[in-house]
Amino acid sequence: MLYPQQNDKRNCLDLSGIWDFQIDPGEVGEAEGWFNGLAAARPMAVPASWNDLYDDLRDYLGMAWYVTESYIPAGWQGEQVMLRVGSANYAAKVWINGTLAGGHEGGHLPFEFDISGLVRWDAPNTIAVQVENHLMPNRVPAGNVEGGMALFMRMFPAATFDFYPYSGLHRAVQLYSRPQSHIANVTVTTDIDGADGIVTVAVEAEGAASGSVRLGDQAAALSFQNGTAQARIRVTNARLWGPDDPYLYPLTVTLGDATSPTDRYSLDVGIRTIAVEGGTILLNGQSIFLKGFGKHEDFSVSGRGDNRPVTVKDYALLKWIGANSYRTAHYPYSEEQMRMADREGILIIDEIPNVSLQFGGGDEAVAERLRMCKQQMSELIARDKNHPSVVMWSIANEPMPPDLMRRMMGGGDVPPVDPATTAFFQELYDLCRAADPTRLVTLVGVGGGPVEWLASSDVVCINRYYGWYSQSGQLDAGRAALENELDSLYDQLGKPIIITEFGADTLAGNHSHPPAMWSEEYQVEMLWGYLDAAAARPFLAGLHIWNFADFKTAQGIMRAASMNHKGVFTRDRQPKMAAHFLAERWNQPGSDRPGE
Ligand code: GCB
């Protein structure tokens, strides 16, 4: 799905602003025609989570309605008029002037409808979106899961994941127009041949016979058959995209001939390759070490709503601290963030919200979860496939085998995991490789989780909390256990390893000598131990600290003040002591790969 854009053939109208809003706990709105207008509306910001804007909404996750009105410019008559929602968490339905346009499930990916047949030209159009975010065991991510870790964590609301289940229209709602004969899809892949870059552009179009592609100062013709065409452009002495030089070539696809084009679409192309060789990740054929964080889209007041000042600030802080990458834990981030990553040279591990998956509830329930995982994975690849920053797809974060507690305790032989669970993930690995053979695929494994689930990964990604959840308060013992496990994992799998999470809850301003848990000193010491352990192991291909910034969680005994405090920055983006230490270390070239 193409990101809407304004040019001489296409128009966009961003509906961000203050909408009418009303909760519908009895779920009567559809029968009562709330899509025509709300009887007891209060103002609501779009984009934003609704939870932190009114006292009574903090833990409200049920159904709610958003309504606004907009004229559609007269100049769009005769064009295809689309309505696009950037993110509605979790399920949504859209009405235009009282008629249902469509619905969508899954909280963090865009969806759009052709509403040409539903619009009025002589009066404002009523646009209504119904959103609900019930926590349910078969959703992805799941909530209200009985037993297991949920029993132990006792979170309120009952999320089965460690971040607040923010609800609402989290990204912009836009109207846009495109010509009847239009570019429907563009897929760009890049390769390197000696000093040259090879850029392949596959285009899907409706109602077009011919067109062209321009990349920088080169052009190639497109000739459509059954709606598809392809061009291949060789860029001599290509300037390759990477963290040190995130160079982007401007690409424009045009339909029709150059003198009277019918449609146009532009995007930026980074020429780069990503691959794995033994224990090393290769970006453009050169070894690269991923330094960075697991993040969240989270900020006070706006919740999970797209917050552009915070986006810009976060990228500035990533640069300041010397990071070159992050993982979109634990769901797809906004398209604006992916565009920033392209521009700033930040490598992305792009994850679907398949977090803390469990296999309970019977075969039908598991099949339903797999269906949702596949849908979200396909939609994510379709959305992000053209971003050079995205180097790896993550199909899951910390899925949980039924015997996880026993595995975590260790000791004794662990029986092999149920092969049906391995097959579940194999379907997702296969889906990614079929949809996008140009990127790496991973599954982010929990401590004690089955090695079988990691075996199909291109890069072994593991979350480890030695020195925090285990060996609590004992950094030396934690480090020894970490080193043992790293060596044994590499022996077994022979693939590059990224520790995608490690960290310690740290209350800013809390100091202790010698270092004790929750103090700034303990966080620094712990992170240092992991950085040193990795530096001594050439097969360690990256370190992502958990987390970039403190973030809100549900309430529970494990989370002081409903926050996860493992940030290296506070929630309002002020540095803890660890941030200064990291900035010094990560900004030294080669500091984490001695000898390179
Ligand atoms: C994890 C999860 C992450 C949590 C983190 C923690 O393993 O992947 O979502 O926030 O641990 O701090 O407990």
Side-chain angles (χ1 to χ4, degrees), residues 213-236:
V213 173
R214 176 165 282 281
L215 181 77
D217 55 8
Q218 296 197 66
L222 290 174
S223 161
F224 287 92
Q225 268 175 357
N226 302 323
T228 65
Q230 189 165 307
R232 193 166 175 272
I233 295 176
R234 174 175 288 269
V235 180
T236 47

Side-chain angles (χ1 to χ4, degrees), residues 162-163 296 327 330 355 397-398 446 463 465 469 501 505 546 551 559 564 566:
D162 187 33
F163 51 93
H296 265 296
R327 177 169 59 115
H330 294 307
V355 37
N397 177 76
E398 299 199 346
V446 66
N463 298 342
Y465 287 94
Y469 293 123
E501 286 184 26
D505 280 279
W546 192 255
F551 60 91
R559 294 290 171 255
N564 183 309
K566 294 193 186 72

